[in-house]
Amino acid sequence: MQKLRNLLRLACGAGALIAAIGAACAEDLVIKRFGGGNSADAVGIADASEDVELTGPQALTTGSDGDLFLLDQLNQRIVRFNPKRPAEDPSILEMPASVQPNDLVVQRDEILVWDGRIHTLKASADPVSTRGVGGSIMKLEEVSTRAVDDIFATSAFAQMGSQPAGNPVDLLDQETRAVTIKKGRQPSRQYVASRGRGSVIADITPEKSDSSVLVEIRSMDGNDAVAQIRLRVKDKLGAVEFLEIDNSDRLYILAENVPDQAMNAATFVARFSLNGDLDGIYELPLENTPITRRFVTVSGDGDVYFLRTQKTSVDVVGVGFKPLRNAKVIDVRPRIQNAGSAPSSKFTAIAAVRPSNRQQVIETAFAFEGLQWQVTAQNYGPDPDTACTGFSRIRRPWYMQGKVGQQVRGVPYCWGCYGSLANFQAQVQRGVKAGNVCTRNDPRNDVVGVDCSAFVSATWGLAVHYTTAAIPAITTPVSDPWQLRPGDALNKPGSHVMLFLRFTPDRKAEVMESSTGGCNGRVCRNVYPLAALLARGYQPVRYKALADDNLVVAQGSLPGDQPDKPKTEKDVGPAHSGRHRRHR
């Protein structure tokens, strides 16, 4: 049976099977499974708890020789292995302590990581030790930091949303904050170091409807035309990212179908021949999986791999191919309609809400993200502090490491903590320890900061902390995700919540969140493909007391322009005298 499964997989990868057995081709196979831990064949996994999503490796990418690289950031390392020989011990590449990335790309044999900017890492000449066949431990060193004008590196990271956040002034300008919705899709240019055709440029041009684009690929050196592709979905296109040309001249495009009903959003990789004909698709099984930054990669042989994190293990999945010969429209729906993706709220009490408006919400959010504050020895705490249960990390958020006496940006993540911005500033000035990323431990009452729902509660001006499970009681669902507006939220009850800021020009969702992995333990802005959030159980919601007003803010008046000036209690809500007082 296993031999038959392998033969089917090989045939599907080559597009050789007819549509009559397409269902067999669509079967996904686990290539390699990693348990939780820090051994050679394990990865760091932090189990979920209230208002915390399950955390594991954040990125999977392919090297030029076909090896897969897995970013195991909780263990501060990269795991490298051959998917054709999964029984072999993987190689371990230990990252320098100065780099705390949440995305990874291997390009032209260079290891590039992203932590808000791009770093280039190189392995030392000799392995520290070896284990088994092909297994080794090597140390990585930072050799350079890429400038923003490295178009191939920046484009590779932007595929999955690892990109600088937009100008906050634009966000508060009613003419530009939702440009992709009000004025249609915008043309975009992507630069890809492909394996089959070398460096290419992909121009993605919207067509008349929101459901189709024209993708034109040409060579970088000679400007020669390589391919012209029309991609059309049944509903509305979200992000469209040109991924790869494999060694057999097949082209791969990541795309999203985001209809007016959020629960039916789907993400897929479409494969085309060089003449522009659609061969078929790889449906990505995003349902019931936590957020990962780089969740799909394509090898030079044309294999599509997906990163799936679970409570006790992490799977690298070979995604099955579904032939769609001569199809003009790609109609794809989630294979599981978000069943069990998030627990329903059991909060039934009458919820008191405080009137607010979008301008206040966004200004408060930027004040949390842009706050500059100095880390004292008292704020830093003893070194090492309590180790986090389940992985080798200390209590302190990673962006504060080694920063005693220095200025840092952003309010730190603190599991179980809540309060206004003024409350945070007052407590750090009194010498309270800052931040706690030990989400599997009990909340601590000797630290200060905000967790994900505490941050959103503060931006909405709430006097108490509403958890993700309680947020549905004070919000109304936004059934059409394209109707999200600045100050709304994407909430996954029992897990995580993000404040929605805007749609980027390529229709990704720009959010503000307080998180351990995506923000390295602080409040920050991030960009995510929209369907990737919806398919994982994130629900668009609108705070009931939020005035549906326009945002008009003069340039230079953003909170980030005067980071040391505290916001008033009127803007950010009263300071809290109690600790860990939550509406559940």
Side-chain angles (χ1 to χ4, degrees), residues 353 460 470-477 489 491 541-544:
V353 297
W460 286 344
I471 280 176
I474 58 170
T475 60
T476 56
N491 184 51
V541 295
R542 180 164 295 155
Y543 177 45
K544 289 179 179 179

Side-chain angles (χ1 to χ4, degrees), residues 232-417:
R232 184 179 179 186
V233 297
K234 185 177 185 299
D235 300 296
K236 293 180 181 178
L237 275 168
V240 177
E241 300 290 336
F242 181 70
L243 296 180
E244 185 61 273
I245 303 175
D246 71 13
N247 297 328
S248 299
D249 276 345
R250 296 172 299 192
L251 301 91
Y252 298 79
I253 298 176
L254 176 72
E256 298 179 318
N257 183 50
V258 186
D260 293 341
Q261 295 296 320
M263 66 180 296
N264 290 324
T267 305
F268 60 92
V269 174
R271 194 181 82 195
F272 294 85
S273 61
L274 204 58
N275 63 8
D277 291 340
L278 175 66
D279 292 337
I281 63 171
Y282 302 81
E283 298 180 61
L284 302 183
L286 288 165
E287 297 80 16
N288 306 324
T289 60
I291 292 177
T292 45
R293 172 58 73 187
R294 189 166 301 273
F295 49 82
V296 64
T297 187
V298 182
S299 73
D301 292 335
D303 293 313
V304 176
Y305 298 103
F306 177 78
L307 177 60
R308 181 173 65 198
T309 301
Q310 303 174 97
K311 287 187 65 173
T312 58
S313 65
V314 170
D315 293 341
V316 176
V317 178
V319 185
F321 178 72
K322 181 179 180 180
L324 290 176
R325 299 289 189 187
N326 302 316
K328 301 299 182 184
V329 177
I330 298 175
D331 184 8
V332 57
R333 291 290 187 272
R335 284 172 280 183
I336 303 174
Q337 296 292 321
N338 289 331
S341 60
S344 60
S345 174
K346 296 181 179 179
F347 185 83
T348 57
I350 297 175
V353 297
R354 299 178 62 186
S356 186
N357 61 58
R358 296 185 187 278
Q359 182 170 325
Q360 291 173 340
V361 171
I362 299 304
E363 286 187 344
T364 303
F366 275 98
F368 271 82
E369 184 261 351
L371 179 70
Q372 302 274 357
W373 59 283
Q374 185 164 335
V375 181
T376 67
Q378 291 76 25
N379 302 146
Y380 197 78
D383 201 358
D385 200 350
T386 305
C388 299
T389 301
F391 56 96
S392 182
R393 291 288 189 187
I394 59 176
R395 176 272 312 169
R396 189 179 307 109
W398 306 305
Y399 85 110
M400 292 173 54
Q401 292 296 329
K403 298 295 177 62
V404 175
Q406 300 180 40
Q407 293 262 322
V408 295
R409 177 186 175 96
V411 174
Y413 179 91
C414 182
W415 160 227
C417 298

Side-chain angles (χ1 to χ4, degrees), residues 51-365:
D51 277 17
V52 180
E53 191 166 54
L54 182 70
T55 303
Q58 287 292 297
L60 178 72
T61 193
T62 314
S64 59
D65 58 359
D67 280 1
L68 293 179
F69 293 75
L70 186 64
L71 178 61
D72 179 16
Q73 73 277 11
L74 292 185
N75 287 323
Q76 191 61 15
R77 67 189 189 182
I78 296 169
V79 179
R80 177 179 184 173
F81 65 96
N82 186 339
K84 307 296 184 184
R85 297 194 294 270
E88 292 182 356
D89 286 342
S91 298
I92 303 299
L93 307 174
E94 296 181 345
M95 291 187 291
S98 59
V99 177
Q100 301 285 347
N102 47 43
D103 199 0
L104 166 70
V105 167
V106 177
Q107 194 174 81
R108 301 189 184 99
D109 295 321
E110 290 185 324
I111 297 175
L112 310 176
V113 294
W114 170 272
D115 65 352
R117 58 177 181 164
I118 301 172
H119 304 266
T120 304
L121 306 179
K122 182 180 180 181
S124 57
D126 300 315
V128 177
S129 65
T130 59
R131 280 189 304 268
V133 181
S136 63
I137 302 178
M138 303 187 77
K139 290 188 177 294
L140 294 173
E141 300 173 349
E142 184 172 358
V143 294
S144 66
T145 298
R146 295 299 182 98
V148 293
D149 58 353
D150 187 334
I151 54 178
F152 286 92
T154 55
S155 188
F157 279 107
Q159 284 177 348
M160 302 296 175
S162 296
Q163 58 199 74
N167 186 338
V169 175
D170 289 342
L171 170 69
L172 299 173
D173 182 348
Q174 59 181 323
E175 294 300 318
T176 61
R177 68 175 182 266
V179 63
T180 58
I181 302 305
K182 301 299 183 183
K183 299 182 180 180
R185 292 181 55 86
Q186 302 297 299
S188 64
R189 172 166 290 181
Q190 299 167 9
Y191 299 85
V192 175
S194 75
R195 292 174 173 84
R197 290 292 180 116
S199 299
V200 297
I201 301 171
D203 286 321
I204 299 177
T205 305
E207 299 196 297
K208 291 183 179 180
S209 72
D210 287 335
S211 63
S212 62
V213 292
L214 173 66
V215 183
E216 298 174 289
I217 301 102
R218 65 182 191 275
S219 64
M220 182 74 174
D221 295 333
N223 204 33
D224 299 321
V226 175
Q228 187 177 85
I229 294 169
R230 277 186 165 82
L231 189 151
R232 184 179 179 186
V233 297
K234 185 177 185 299
D235 300 296
K236 293 180 181 178
L237 275 168
V240 177
E241 300 290 336
F242 181 70
L243 296 180
E244 185 61 273
I245 303 175
D246 71 13
N247 297 328
S248 299
D249 276 345
R250 296 172 299 192
L251 301 91
Y252 298 79
I253 298 176
L254 176 72
E256 298 179 318
N257 183 50
V258 186
D260 293 341
Q261 295 296 320
M263 66 180 296
N264 290 324
T267 305
F268 60 92
V269 174
R271 194 181 82 195
F272 294 85
S273 61
L274 204 58
N275 63 8
D277 291 340
L278 175 66
D279 292 337
I281 63 171
Y282 302 81
E283 298 180 61
L284 302 183
L286 288 165
E287 297 80 16
N288 306 324
T289 60
I291 292 177
T292 45
R293 172 58 73 187
R294 189 166 301 273
F295 49 82
V296 64
T297 187
V298 182
S299 73
D301 292 335
D303 293 313
V304 176
Y305 298 103
F306 177 78
L307 177 60
R308 181 173 65 198
T309 301
Q310 303 174 97
K311 287 187 65 173
T312 58
S313 65
V314 170
D315 293 341
V316 176
V317 178
V319 185
F321 178 72
K322 181 179 180 180
L324 290 176
R325 299 289 189 187
N326 302 316
K328 301 299 182 184
V329 177
I330 298 175
D331 184 8
V332 57
R333 291 290 187 272
R335 284 172 280 183
I336 303 174
Q337 296 292 321
N338 289 331
S341 60
S344 60
S345 174
K346 296 181 179 179
F347 185 83
T348 57
I350 297 175
V353 297
R354 299 178 62 186
S356 186
N357 61 58
R358 296 185 187 278
Q359 182 170 325
Q360 291 173 340
V361 171
I362 299 304
E363 286 187 344
T364 303

